[in-house]
Amino acid sequence: MPPMHVSLFSRYAAFALIAAFAVLSLPFLGAVDGLWPFTLAALILTGIGIHDLIQPRHAVRRNYPVIGHIRYMAEAIRPEIRQYLLEDDDEEVPFSRAQRSLVYARAKNEGGEKPFGTLSDVYGEGYEFISHSVRPAPLADPAGFRVTVGGPQCRQPYSASVFNISAMSFGALSANAIRALNKGAKMGGFAHDTGEGSISPYHRENGGDLIWELGSGYFGCRAADGHFDPAKFAAQARDPQVKMVEIKMSQGAKPGHGGILPAHKVSAEIAATRGVPMGADCVSPSRHSAFSTPVELLQFIETLRDLSDGKPVGFKLCIGHPWEFMGIVKAMLETGILPDFIVVDGKEGGTGAAPVEFTDHLGVPLREGLLFVHNTLIGAGLRDKIRIGAAGKVVSAFDIASLLALGADWVNAARGFMFAIGCIQSQSCHTNRCPTGVATQDPLRQRALVVPDKAERVRSFHRNTMKALAEMLAAAGLDHPSKLGPHHLARRISSTEIRLFSQIHFGMRPGALIEGGVTSDFYKSSWEMARADSFDAAPMDAA
């Protein structure tokens, strides 16, 4: 243990030397040319050091005046230092440099070719690949990679691309970001999900296809008391630009968590778009007020479909309690009301801000959630009547292929398209200081995002990713994404064993939940616990 005087010297030496220089140099200011800038700097640092000694909040600065600020400066730039100097190409935090570089290259039409072979450890556990055919198929036109969304109760089905822009609200994203995304979607012929912040004027400018997401705040169709307003909904939903309506039940990154946009962040534009008053917090409740049971949810879906003049209506959720989703399926069988689609959001999805406990430890990951929804609909005999979308950390053609193989009909991406318009993963979305103008309402910051240039990048990212998907499918002997199945993809589960997805994952027999004979204890017990009249689980002895 060093003597006390040594410890004191190490802590205060820098401050003492700066203060001494400031005091001793004052008499020489008139005699020594060029001395004054150094004296001024020393005086300023001396003042900072005195403030450090007397301020009560930061122990490091009290013990290490002046030099203690180095700790906070290093902490402030730590993400940038890691990202640009220390991060491995395949270190996902949450997206790796290799993933981001792929998006940037495709958005700028630079291609995604890789010289000198793969950097992936093909013998490492978890490595995945798509099996190829010795007789590849002719290359298909990616423009035909579309899926018709709209069940038997829908009067205006929508032909959707298999790759679309996931939900991101105006308010979370800047006006210029929304403009660029929507214009790119218009140019590329794919859909743009509005997020729960409703349809802003910036969604309207370029006329790209919209999926209107309806959250628990009912923004854009909200009564004065915060409840759903049918007349306001119908006025917006019947607009030809709105192609589908999506009820947001929960979000992958923060399932079961509401949200508050503080009053000081509610600008006049956001207030007008969402239909909320200025000067008050904008609240997204954690639960819907328009329904409280599975049956009521389906009745609400039927109401929205009628009010929208027969457009496809579905819901999005991150899977939580399995019996709750199964209760919704039981309600479908009981009422005969079917959603046109279900979007499964994985817990690995992104958000502008959420408690770390929610992002890290709440919700089911996408693949497990997708498989569960897919299998449950098969077991209930409804899979051919309902389309499934999937969203969660998608950037490459292989990401898309793996989700389609597990049961999705189409895939959405949010952060991938954010990269396409300039996001650098600074992880400052919640601060209003986004360095690229993507996730900010600061007019000067978002001015840096040039809409025509970024819209072209959105189109290029989509087009080049679809081209890569077409090439992968052709190599596998397929001509359309709908033909992908779990037997086409493989995963290394140990250093000596590889299995097909069809061997790893449980596959439900059609109608098994209704007819009986389910071989999985998990599906059997969850189905017994599910209730059409309540989201609560039925007691097992009463099932």
Side-chain angles (χ1 to χ4, degrees):
M1 181 175 180
M4 177 64 72
H5 67 274
V6 175
S7 175
L8 287 172
F9 178 78
S10 66
R11 287 158 52 191
Y12 299 110
F15 170 58
L17 289 171
I18 291 169
F21 177 83
V23 173
L24 295 175
S25 65
L26 286 174
F28 301 98
L29 285 177
V32 180
D33 291 338
L35 181 61
W36 72 266
F38 299 97
T39 302
L40 177 62
L43 287 170
I44 292 172
L45 290 174
T46 300
I48 291 173
I50 294 171
H51 178 264
D52 288 341
L53 287 170
I54 62 176
Q55 58 83 33
R57 297 188 61 190
H58 301 285
V60 170
R61 286 164 51 195
R62 283 172 69 89
N63 273 331
Y64 299 88
V66 181
I67 62 173
H69 288 270
I70 296 174
R71 182 258 186 191
Y72 299 100
M73 292 169 59
E75 185 178 60
I77 63 172
R78 179 178 179 272
E80 288 80 6
I81 294 296
R82 291 197 71 242
Q83 182 176 142
Y84 293 112
L85 298 178
L86 304 176
E87 178 187 331
D88 291 337
D89 282 349
D90 59 353
E91 185 179 357
E92 298 187 12
V93 284
F95 286 87
S96 70
R97 172 154 295 280
Q99 289 173 312
R100 300 196 305 274
S101 295
L102 176 65
V103 177
Y104 298 148
R106 286 184 170 158
K108 292 184 283 188
N109 280 319
E110 294 176 354
E113 292 76 15
K114 187 78 175 178
F116 221 66
T118 181
L119 298 179
S120 299
D121 180 5
V122 298
Y123 294 100
E125 184 176 340
Y127 173 71
E128 295 179 345
F129 59 94
I130 186 169
S131 58
H132 67 280
S133 171
V134 297
R135 190 172 180 272
L139 187 65
D141 182 0
F145 291 176
R146 308 190 74 83
V147 57
T148 300
V149 184
Q153 298 163 350
C154 171
R155 299 191 298 277
Q156 295 190 55
Y158 174 57
S159 176
S161 169
V162 299
F163 187 39
N164 302 287
I165 301 173
S166 196
M168 294 179 284
S169 300
F170 168 61
L173 298 192
S174 68
N176 278 1
I178 295 295
R179 287 181 173 115
L181 290 170
N182 193 257
K183 185 173 183 178
K186 176 69 173 180
M187 295 161 65
F190 51 98
H192 179 194
D193 193 311
T194 66
E196 66 175 307
S198 189
I199 307 171
S200 72
Y202 311 111
H203 289 95
R204 301 282 194 190
E205 282 185 16
N206 295 295
D209 290 353
L210 294 177
I211 300 171
W212 183 11
E213 183 176 88
L214 205 63
S216 56
Y218 306 114
F219 301 129
C221 56
R222 175 186 177 96
D225 61 0
H227 288 79
F228 175 70
D229 186 315
K232 290 182 179 179
F233 172 81
Q236 292 224 65
R238 296 194 178 201
D239 187 294
Q241 191 181 352
V242 176
K243 303 301 182 182
M244 302 198 297
V245 177
E246 174 185 281
I247 303 168
K248 175 187 168 183
M249 302 278 287
S250 58
Q251 177 180 343
K254 48 183 177 182
H257 189 277
I260 298 178
L261 189 65
H264 69 274
K265 290 187 177 181
V266 181
S267 66
E269 290 178 315
I270 292 174
T273 296
R274 299 192 178 194
V276 297
M278 291 280 291
D281 292 340
C282 179
V283 179
S284 296
S286 59
R287 59 195 293 175
H288 280 262
S289 59
F291 56 87
S292 58
T293 70
V295 168
E296 290 177 358
L297 165 62
L298 294 175
Q299 291 170 342
F300 186 55
I301 288 173
E302 187 174 49
T303 296
L304 297 186
R305 197 154 41 209
D306 288 341
L307 291 171
S308 66
D309 198 22
K311 291 181 179 179
V313 178
F315 60 91
K316 178 181 86 172
L317 81 170
C318 176
I319 294 298
H321 298 319
W323 59 83
E324 292 183 343
F325 177 75
M326 285 185 158
I328 297 172
V329 175
K330 280 190 173 181
M332 296 178 198
L333 297 173
E334 182 178 299
T335 64
I337 303 170
L338 304 179
D340 296 291
F341 64 91
I342 299 168
V343 175
V344 183
D345 204 17
K347 69 117 24 318
E348 62 269 45
T351 180
V356 67
E357 292 85 356
F358 278 72
T359 57
D360 288 351
H361 302 292
L362 216 64
V364 173
L366 175 55
R367 288 188 176 184
E368 284 74 16
L370 172 60
L371 275 165
F372 173 69
V373 170
H374 178 63
N375 275 329
T376 300
L377 293 179
I378 289 175
L382 299 173
R383 183 62 184 88
D384 60 334
K385 300 178 178 65
I386 300 171
R387 297 295 192 185
I388 299 178
K393 211 170 182 180
V394 174
V395 294
S396 73
F398 182 78
D399 295 335
I400 297 171
S402 62
L403 294 174
L404 297 177
L406 290 176
D409 292 301
W410 84 86
V411 175
N412 296 332
R415 289 168 290 180
F417 282 101
M418 287 177 68
F419 292 142
I421 59 174
C423 171
I424 59 172
Q425 195 172 268
S426 68
Q427 300 183 56
S428 56
C429 310
H430 61 299
T431 67
N432 205 35
R433 295 192 298 271
C434 172
T436 58
V438 175
T440 179
Q441 297 304 305
D442 184 325
L444 287 177
R445 287 180 178 270
Q446 64 174 290
R447 179 180 175 275
L449 197 159
V450 180
V451 173
D453 174 64
K454 302 306 183 186
E456 182 58 47
R457 292 191 182 194
V458 169
R459 175 171 68 169
S460 296
F461 170 55
H462 181 274
R463 182 183 64 244
N464 290 324
T465 303
M466 288 294 93
K467 179 182 176 183
L469 179 61
E471 291 171 344
M472 291 190 76
L473 291 174
L478 307 173
D479 60 7
H480 195 275
S482 62
K483 296 183 179 179
L484 271 169
H487 56 288
H488 289 117
L489 272 77
R491 178 184 178 93
R492 179 176 288 282
I493 61 172
S494 73
S495 60
T496 59
E497 188 175 5
I498 290 174
R499 290 187 184 178
L500 299 177
F501 277 30
S502 57
Q503 297 172 311
I504 298 172
H505 301 294
F506 172 77
M508 181 73 71
R509 181 174 57 82
L513 289 174
I514 301 173
E515 300 165 2
V518 178
T519 58
S520 165
D521 290 339
F522 165 74
Y523 280 93
K524 183 179 179 180
S525 61
S526 297
W527 185 253
E528 290 173 350
M529 295 167 67
R531 301 169 54 184
D533 64 337
S534 175
F535 285 112
D536 295 333
M540 289 301 292
D541 58 354

